[in-house]
Structure formats: structure tokens, C-alpha cells
Amino acid sequence: MRADILIVGGGLGGVAAALGACRTGCSVIMTEEFDWIGGQSTSQAVPSDEHTWVEQFGITRSYRKLRNGIRQYYRDNYPLTEGARAWDDLNPGAGWVSRICAEPRVSLAVMEAMLMPYRGAGRLNVLQPYRAVAADVEGDTIRSVTLRHRDTGNEIVVCADYILDATELGDLLPMTGTEYVKGFEAQSDTGEPSAPSEAQPDNVQAVSVCFAVDHVDGDWTVDKPENYDYWRKYQPHFWGGRLLGFTAPHPRTLEFTTRSFTPNVDDDPLAVDADQRKGGGDENLWLFRRIAARRNFQPGFYQSDICFVNWPMIDYMDGTIIDVSEEEKAKHLKSAADLSYSVFYWLQTEAPRVDGGQGYRGLRLRGDITGTEHGLAMAPYIRESRRIKPVTRVVEQDMSYAVRGEKGAVNYRDSIGIGMYRIDLHPSTGGDNYIDVRSCPFEIPLGALLPRRVKNLIPAGKNIGTTHITNGCYRLHPVEWNVGEVAGMLAAYCLEKRLTPLQVQEDDGLLHDFQRELIREGIEIRWPDIAAY
């Protein structure tokens, strides 16, 4: 097959890249190895992690269209209460982690609708479920990528002028010989205050296999998982107790904190204030990442709230899935799933209740919500990828408030987007506790999307030129979308102008012209300076 642009990976970055490229009239092929496009928001099922000002500014126009589309989908198709329907900033799940917690199928439906015109027009061909298995490289140029069907084993070779790596783990980087790093860099290399003295390439953030539950009448207890006894006794040295428990380190202070868990708290969804400045919102785990609040809907329509489990206790720290054999990767992913099943079983049978009892036997695993028969999310939640060795590397001291103070984050001449989140690293495979650093609203430099050598590969997700530390705030939903959308537009711009991405980044005139294109398409490249005039 042949296209102007091949996007390998149909997660948030891949979908945004397809939109950015297709708007220009380019022919695009996008692949996805799972049954759902959308990555973090759909197959991984994680509600959006966003900054405080997301309803006013700080995201791209198309990402706002996605958020507005999710809300409109609920208004058009769900029996909302009058209060919920009138709520401009409708939060369907009324979760405390985000101002828009929603069921993954709704996010999927909206993303599919956003891509549909380009599929109908023949500009976009989506290949599912396919994953990349090989690449043909000549010098500094990728000529083609070989894709393999997940179920049949059939292979397709795709040639394209530009190849965008939007995979969750940066799969194309080793395949194409693109220089990359992984894990924790050394402080002597990056100068980062939070970095270790020596590099730790196999020390990466935990993966999590998430799941959704509700709580209804009856006994829904599942069979005891085969590795339950192992996980029940598991206790990281920095945890303050067993992993299967409500006590865990507070991400920001590392003090041992005991969370509560009470299904179907009778709260008012309209009173939820998902403002991350006020804390993480995880004091009550039922409300933390709730994706359906029954009181947002007509009485009796939902038997129960739907609670999404992406909690500290499902973080899998027993090994990395990057640059290991397929057998070892599969082993770790199965163990991560075993941990999640064990957490669910523990919640049903042993979790302490406020009334002094143990377990919530009315908890029900909602695989129908995540699109699986096995009950867990369709795909593991990946927090950290391989990362290119870039023209511009983003380091902790570029945005850390402790370093930058009131000056704010570094202003890059080649900014192609903006984002904001605390530098939020989960426990890692190297046995590290949380790393949580206050950060300034930051910019995304174009140089972080450019490999130093390979000419026609552009990262379109978490594989850009961050470090282990700065990935902690560049990995979130709206930033991944921004990166992907710009990657798609950059490839199209270079094709139209017969330029290389490096030429665009190095030449002020070309860079300013490209930045004007981004602004015209609703991509904010500077944080607003709000002052009297």
C-alpha cells in the first residue's frame, strides 16, 4: 500500500495526527493494534488528566471539539437530569480527577465521528488490528513499514513519504534504527535535580491494567485469582503497608495516607470541583475516577455509579515491557492483569468497610464498559515510552517551579503547543517511590519532535524528546493530542513545501510560517499573558 503519510498507532496522538494531516488533503494510512482507536481515552479507558484552565484555554481547537463532542453525545443520547443537561461543563462521571470523566465508548464514538469525513472522502484508511513488525530503512530514510494482522498473521507493506510513530511504546524506534533512550537518565547527563547519579535504562514507570466496576444487589464474587496469595502479601518497601490496601504514599508528600472507599456515595455530581490545584481528589477512591454518576441521569436509569479503577494498588512494578522478548513482555502483562484481578477480588472479599465488615460482594466487573470479555481494560495503561534522542531535549529545570519560580517555564522559539500538569511519576520498576514536582505551564518545542538523524520519522505521542522525569507531565491526554496533531501537520507542511522537518525548525522564516499555520488551526503555542490594557 502507498500513502503520503503513515501513522503507526491509533491512540490519542495517532487520531490527532490523522486529523492534522487529513485536513491538508494528504492521503493517510493509520494503523491500530487494538479494536478501538483512542488509546488512553478508550482502549486503556483512562479519564482525561487535564490542567485547571482546560475549559478556558490551554488546549488545541480539535481537542476542545473532542471534549465538547463527548458532552453533546451525552445530551443527545442519554436521559440526563435537568440539572446535568443545563450544566455547560457537564462532567458525566463527576469524577474528581478531571472536569470530564466519561465512559470510554463515548470517547470512541466521538473520535470515530471526527475521522469519518476523511474516511468517506478516501483520504484516510484505518487498518485494524495491525501492528508494525519490521521496517525497510535506507540510510537516514525509512522506505516502508511491514504491518501484521493481530489475528490472521497476514502482512501488509506500507510505503509513505513520512512515517509517524504514534505507538504507545515507541515501537518504530528500534525497528528503524532511530536513536532513542529509555528509563531514567543520569543527572550528569541531564542536570535534573530529581535524576539519579547513574542512568537506569530499565527503570520505567509502572504499567497498569485498569478496570471498571459498579455496585449492585447480589453476590458477584469471582473465583479467587491463581496468584492472589502472592499479591496479597506483596509490600513495596516504601508503601507503608501491603499493596492490596487503602494505605499508600501520598504522591506529593510521600506521607502514608489511608484512602476511603464507599460505593455509591450519595453525593451531588454538580458540586464536584475537579480542580487539581486543590489536590489529587483521591481521598475517596469511589469518586476519584468515577466515569458515570447515577445522579446525573434520570432516577433508576443507572443501577449504580460506575467507578474506574486506576489506583496506586494496580501499578505493576515487577518488570519492564520495553526492549524485552515477546515472551517476557507477555509474562509481565499477564502478571499486571493478575494484579488487577487480585485487587478486584480483594475489594469483593477483604477490603475493610466503614461499618466494620469486610468486602463488597455487590461489586461487579464491567467488561462491557471496557469492551472486553475478560473484564479488564482492552489495553494496558502505558505511562512511559522509548524516547527519541532529539534536536531539543526537555529537562526538569525547563519547567520545575522550584528552579524557574515566577519566571515561568522556558519559552522556546520553536514552540508548537502548550500544556500543564505536575511532573507526576508513578512508582517504577526500579523500586522508586512517586516523584511529584510542582511545574510551571510549559511549551512544547518543535525540536523535541525531531530525531537528530532519521529524516522522515516523526514521533506523535509519548516518544518525543522528554526525559524520564519530564515525560511525567508531557504524557497526559491533551499534550499527547497536541503532539500528534502537530506531527501530522508538520509532515503535510513538509510535503507541500518540499522541506525537511529540520529545515522548518532551523529557519526562522519557515518556522514562523509553520507556527502561523498552527495558530490558524487553533493550536495555542504560548500561554496567555493576562493583564490590564
Side-chain angles (χ1 to χ4, degrees), residues 85 133 135 138 147 167-168 323 341 370 439 450 466 476 501:
R85 190 171 296 280
V133 293
E138 184 175 333
L147 309 167
T167 61
E168 296 296 321
D323 289 347
Y341 284 127
T370 55
S439 65
L450 306 184
T466 57
L476 287 314

Side-chain angles (χ1 to χ4, degrees), residues 75 80-91 270 295-297:
R75 294 189 179 102
L80 298 171
T81 63
E82 290 185 11
R85 190 171 296 280
W87 187 6
D88 285 344
D89 297 337
L90 172 64
N91 190 344
L270 276 66
R295 287 188 59 186
N296 269 334
F297 306 94

Side-chain angles (χ1 to χ4, degrees), residues 280-355:
D282 62 344
E283 290 81 6
N284 186 313
L285 292 172
W286 182 265
L287 302 176
F288 180 34
R289 293 182 182 271
R290 182 173 55 181
I291 56 175
R294 70 194 188 287
R295 287 188 59 186
N296 269 334
F297 306 94
Q298 293 294 335
F301 187 72
Y302 274 70
Q303 296 181 65
S304 165
D305 294 347
I306 301 175
C307 167
F308 185 71
V309 178
N310 178 20
W311 306 340
M313 64 179 75
I314 69 165
D315 285 355
Y316 178 77
M317 298 172 253
D318 267 8
T320 179
I321 58 173
I322 297 177
D323 289 347
V324 296
S325 68
E326 286 298 316
E327 293 75 18
E328 185 171 354
K329 180 180 178 181
K331 181 192 76 172
H332 285 309
L333 289 177
K334 181 184 183 302
S335 293
D338 288 344
L339 169 58
S340 295
Y341 284 127
S342 295
V343 168
F344 178 61
Y345 181 76
W346 178 84
L347 289 169
Q348 288 184 314
T349 60
E350 295 192 63
R353 300 196 308 258
V354 292
D355 63 5

Side-chain angles (χ1 to χ4, degrees), residues 175-208:
M175 236 175 261
T176 59
T178 302
E179 291 79 7
Y180 68 92
V181 297
K182 58 180 181 174
F184 222 151
E185 295 91 344
Q187 190 175 75
S188 59
D189 176 20
T190 66
E192 294 174 307
S194 302
S197 57
E198 296 183 4
Q200 301 169 7
D202 291 325
N203 188 2
V204 298
Q205 287 194 71
V207 301
S208 299

Side-chain angles (χ1 to χ4, degrees), residues 16 66 83 97 102 121 146 197 250 267-268 299 314-315 317 355 372 378 406 411 419 430 457 466 478 486 497 504 517:
L66 169 64
V97 73
T146 301
S197 57
H250 188 285
D267 66 321
D268 178 5
I314 69 165
D315 285 355
M317 298 172 253
D355 63 5
T372 64
M378 189 176 294
E406 297 305 321
N411 294 119
L457 181 136
T466 57
V486 170
K497 305 290 185 182
V504 176
E517 292 282 332

Side-chain angles (χ1 to χ4, degrees), residues 66-179:
L66 169 64
R67 298 175 87 258
N68 291 340
I70 290 168
R71 287 172 170 148
Q72 193 60 44
Y73 193 96
Y74 277 94
R75 294 189 179 102
D76 290 345
N77 297 287
Y78 283 71
L80 298 171
T81 63
E82 290 185 11
R85 190 171 296 280
W87 187 6
D88 285 344
D89 297 337
L90 172 64
N91 190 344
W96 286 84
V97 73
S98 169
R99 297 187 188 277
I100 185 163
C101 294
E103 295 173 46
R105 285 185 188 273
V106 176
S107 300
L108 173 67
V110 176
M111 277 185 259
E112 289 280 14
M114 292 172 76
L115 293 178
M116 196 60 70
Y118 304 111
R119 298 179 79 163
R123 293 186 189 179
L124 174 64
N125 187 354
V126 180
L127 302 178
Q128 284 177 274
Y130 279 88
R131 61 189 293 260
V133 293
D136 180 18
V137 180
E138 184 175 333
D140 298 336
T141 302
I142 304 167
R143 298 175 58 186
S144 67
V145 175
T146 301
L147 309 167
R148 181 177 297 156
H149 193 281
R150 180 192 65 197
D151 303 325
T152 67
N154 290 342
E155 292 188 353
I156 299 174
V157 177
V158 180
C159 301
D161 295 297
Y162 279 93
I163 315 294
L164 275 54
D165 185 348
T167 61
E168 296 296 321
L169 292 171
D171 292 341
L172 289 187
L173 304 185
M175 236 175 261
T176 59
T178 302
E179 291 79 7

